[in-house]
Amino acid sequence: MSERAAIILAAGKGTRMKSGLAKALHEANGKPLAWYPIQRALELGCDPVVVVVGHQGDEVRRQLAAHFPGAPLRFAVQEEQLGTGHAVLCARRALAGHKGRITILYGDVPLLERPTLEKLIAAGKGHLVAFLTMNPSDPTGYGRVIRGLDGKVRAIVEEKDATPDERQVREANGGLYDCDARFLWKALAKVDSGNAQREFYLTDLVAAAARAGDPAVAVPTPVDELQGVNDRVELAEAGRRLRRRVAEGHMRAGVGIVDPDAVYLENEAELAPGATIEPNVWIAGRSSVGAGSVIGFGSVLVDSTVGEGVVVKPYSVLEGAVVGDRAIVGPFARLRPGTELGAEVHIGNFVETKKTTMGRGSKANHLAYLGDAMIGERCNVGAGTITCNYDGVNKLPTILGDDVFIGSDTQLVAPVTIGDGAYVGAGATVTADVPAGALALSRAPQVVKEGWADRKRASAKAASSAKGASSKISGKSKASKLAPASKNSAAKSTASKISAAASKASGSKAVAGKTAAARSSAAKTTEARRSAVRASGSKRPRK
């Protein structure tokens, strides 16, 4: 425990947020609102830092503790929301034995900067209380700072309790305090709820200090830093200001940011001088970008490390990845957690990696999935290559030595090892290890049938012609059935001619049939006569 402790008031529900989430956990630029005052208190060396929680207290406690592992963080619970004075009293047990100074901050004021708090602490030395004040253009809703004729602060009056004359005062309470611990607990023990809101006001400390003969010290502060967050609009505005503040800090340090209003740089991002960040880039978590690197339009970096001279082309996504110097990534590449790319590695468009290492100079330039792979130096992975790393139960490794060439459309079925300098032909499915310097092929032999294409086209053409002829006949038949009424007579005449011709043809066939029968009968009669003559011999009568 140090000479200075802090209390963070974060028990509010945040009704105006219209959310099921406690207000303290709503994020601004990637961090919960309460993260910001806690971080400031820790920067000042406060130990312990007591966070007073209420609504969704267990979840607030869990998330905030996860953000500050190992920090001297303690939690107190305000079961009923009975005012700010009551909230501070709830932290007393967690600060038992502390006799130094206590800094009191609000959990929904994320824009407060460290230099401002340092001024507050400096002003409070030797005094019972120091607090921040501001002069907003419209002080409506804020407590007013009331001074005596000598200019010293006598009290803070909440607007609902203020007289018309007091409401004309422009100096307003900023709500943040630095107090002597013994004075704080003694004064709060005497605070009551006899006011318009029936609450225990923390602001009563100021009047108590005046009565004790040591008026509180007011520290003027820019309004923007003291802006609280009460709804979604104010949350978005706070996030915008935080991002702009981060971007300006990097630009002043030598980072090129094309449009500081169109980048999303979270607080922990580390950008080296000479790096360039294009518009619509989001750099989140513990990410870093080396000198001379360019992060292209629309790319996302989450907890990733990018070396020097790297080019991340547009719309690439890096999550938990490490990229070596002078590498090229993208466009449209995805590096998932566990990816480690060596120097001068190329990862091209629509390539995805996961738990994969690639040695210096290796390339996978097109359309590939590389998961659970260890790839050596100077390897070439062809388009359409995938590592089949999951057997339905376990994730299995694929190992490529140095100078390996993997042809396009190859499946590497893990576990499998490809030795140094080996080649795998395009279209292969590799299920067994390939020795160093070997060639692996697994596709079927090529078959060539000469003239097949010409015959195929000729056959198709003939079929098309036959289909066309059939369609014409069918079309004529349909046309005759669908002919207009005005052409019925001509159609009937044509039909009669066809019928007559058919009848004539039928008659001709009948006559021909009769003639043939007559000829056959005559032939039979003649033959009978000749047989009779031969039988009678020379007995034929003379004339």
Side-chain angles (χ1 to χ4, degrees):
M1 185 177 292
S2 72
E3 294 182 359
R4 179 171 300 280
I7 299 173
I8 313 296
L9 305 183
K13 180 178 180 180
T15 303
R16 282 180 281 175
M17 300 295 284
K18 293 181 171 57
S19 167
L21 186 68
K23 183 165 74 168
L25 296 182
H26 281 270
E27 291 192 353
N29 199 32
K31 298 293 185 184
L33 286 173
W35 181 90
Y36 292 94
I38 294 173
Q39 179 66 21
R40 295 291 173 263
L42 293 173
E43 290 171 355
L44 295 173
C46 297
D47 181 4
V49 175
V50 180
V51 183
V52 179
V53 300
H55 181 65
Q56 296 182 348
D58 289 342
E59 183 62 16
V60 174
R61 181 198 306 260
R62 185 187 68 80
Q63 290 199 32
L64 293 179
H67 278 282
F68 298 97
L73 214 58
R74 300 179 185 177
F75 293 89
V77 179
Q78 184 184 23
E79 297 290 354
E80 293 183 84
Q81 311 297 300
L82 300 178
T84 52
H86 175 256
V88 171
L89 279 172
C90 291
R92 185 173 185 174
R93 180 177 297 178
L95 290 173
H98 178 74
K99 299 179 180 179
R101 304 289 293 188
I102 297 177
T103 301
I104 302 171
L105 307 176
Y106 283 101
D108 62 353
V109 181
L111 295 170
L112 190 66
E113 297 196 66
R114 178 174 175 173
T116 298
L117 286 178
E118 289 174 343
K119 290 180 182 178
L120 173 66
I121 290 170
K125 287 182 178 180
H127 296 281
L128 297 176
V129 181
F131 70 107
L132 300 182
T133 66
M134 59 182 174
N135 284 278
S137 57
D138 180 5
T140 302
Y142 291 103
R144 304 305 203 276
V145 177
I146 306 303
R147 294 177 180 268
L149 295 177
D150 58 0
K152 294 182 179 180
V153 176
R154 295 300 176 188
I156 295 175
V157 180
E158 297 295 338
E159 182 168 276
K160 291 184 178 180
D161 300 304
T163 65
D165 287 341
E166 289 172 336
R167 291 179 184 177
Q168 297 303 311
V169 175
R170 301 298 297 272
E171 187 179 15
N173 175 32
L176 309 181
Y177 303 83
D178 184 72
C179 311
D180 174 80
R182 285 174 292 187
F183 167 76
L184 174 66
W185 305 128
K186 183 178 179 181
L188 287 179
K190 298 178 180 180
V191 170
D192 60 36
S193 59
N195 50 65
Q197 299 185 73
R198 301 300 178 190
E199 292 183 352
F200 296 91
Y201 290 159
L202 183 59
T203 52
D204 288 353
L205 288 177
V206 173
R211 289 194 298 270
D214 185 11
V217 180
V219 180
T221 308
V223 174
D224 288 350
E225 287 191 45
L226 298 176
Q227 181 65 53
V229 173
N230 295 299
D231 58 30
R232 302 278 188 163
V233 174
E234 292 176 350
L235 179 65
E237 178 62 17
R240 185 191 68 79
R241 290 183 180 180
L242 287 167
R243 289 192 297 273
R244 178 72 189 211
R245 184 184 291 175
V246 172
E248 288 182 357
H250 285 302
M251 288 189 290
R252 290 192 179 96
V255 177
I257 297 179
V258 176
D259 185 350
D261 290 323
V263 294
Y264 301 83
L265 305 177
E266 292 189 1
N267 302 278
E268 296 169 312
E270 296 181 5
L271 310 179
T276 299
I277 311 300
E278 294 184 353
N280 288 350
V281 167
W282 177 31
I283 301 180
R286 295 183 179 278
S287 294
S288 63
V289 178
S293 292
V294 177
I295 309 301
F297 190 99
S299 293
V300 176
L301 277 64
V302 181
D303 295 324
S304 294
T305 300
V306 175
E308 297 183 354
V310 174
V311 176
V312 177
K313 294 185 178 180
Y315 301 107
S316 296
V317 178
L318 286 66
E319 305 167 84
V322 177
V323 181
D325 296 345
R326 300 177 301 284
I328 299 175
V329 177
F332 297 100
R334 184 184 181 193
L335 309 184
R336 292 168 59 190
T339 295
E340 294 185 17
L341 306 183
E344 301 170 2
V345 167
H346 289 190
I347 294 292
N349 47 287
F350 304 107
V351 175
E352 179 181 351
T353 63
K354 189 269 297 181
K355 288 186 180 178
T356 290
T357 61
M358 296 183 71
R360 176 186 291 270
S362 289
K363 300 177 182 179
N365 279 325
H366 322 278
L367 303 161
Y369 169 68
L370 305 174
D372 296 283
M374 291 175 282
I375 299 173
E377 297 183 353
R378 300 175 301 279
C379 293
N380 186 86
V381 179
T385 295
I386 63 171
T387 56
C388 306
N389 59 320
Y390 184 52
D391 65 1
V393 179
N394 300 307
K395 297 294 181 70
L396 303 169
T398 297
I399 301 173
L400 275 62
D402 294 338
D403 302 300
V404 170
F405 182 93
I406 305 296
S408 298
D409 193 28
T410 294
Q411 295 83 48
L412 302 172
V413 183
V416 68
T417 297
I418 313 297
D420 292 349
Y423 270 59
V424 175
T429 299
V430 181
T431 59
D433 292 351
V434 179
L439 169 64
L441 299 170
S442 70
R443 57 180 180 268
Q446 181 172 305
V447 176
V448 178
K449 297 182 178 181
E450 293 193 11
W452 183 91
D454 291 337
R455 293 193 296 274
K456 175 69 175 177
R457 282 190 285 270
S459 175
K461 185 176 181 181
S464 178
S465 297
K467 184 177 180 180
S470 175
S471 297
K472 288 181 180 179
I473 293 172
S474 175
K476 289 180 178 179
S477 176
K478 290 180 180 179
S480 65
K481 290 180 180 180
L482 299 175
S486 60
K487 295 182 179 180
N488 283 348
S489 297
K492 288 179 179 179
S493 176
T494 301
S496 297
K497 290 178 180 180
I498 294 173
S499 178
S503 297
K504 185 176 180 180
S506 178
S508 297
K509 290 180 180 179
V511 171
K514 291 179 180 178
T515 301
R519 287 177 179 173
S520 176
S521 178
K524 291 179 180 178
T525 301
T526 302
E527 183 60 27
R529 287 177 179 174
R530 288 177 179 174
S531 295
V533 170
R534 286 194 292 270
S536 62
S538 61
K539 293 182 178 180
R540 293 180 63 187
R542 295 180 181 179
K543 292 184 179 179

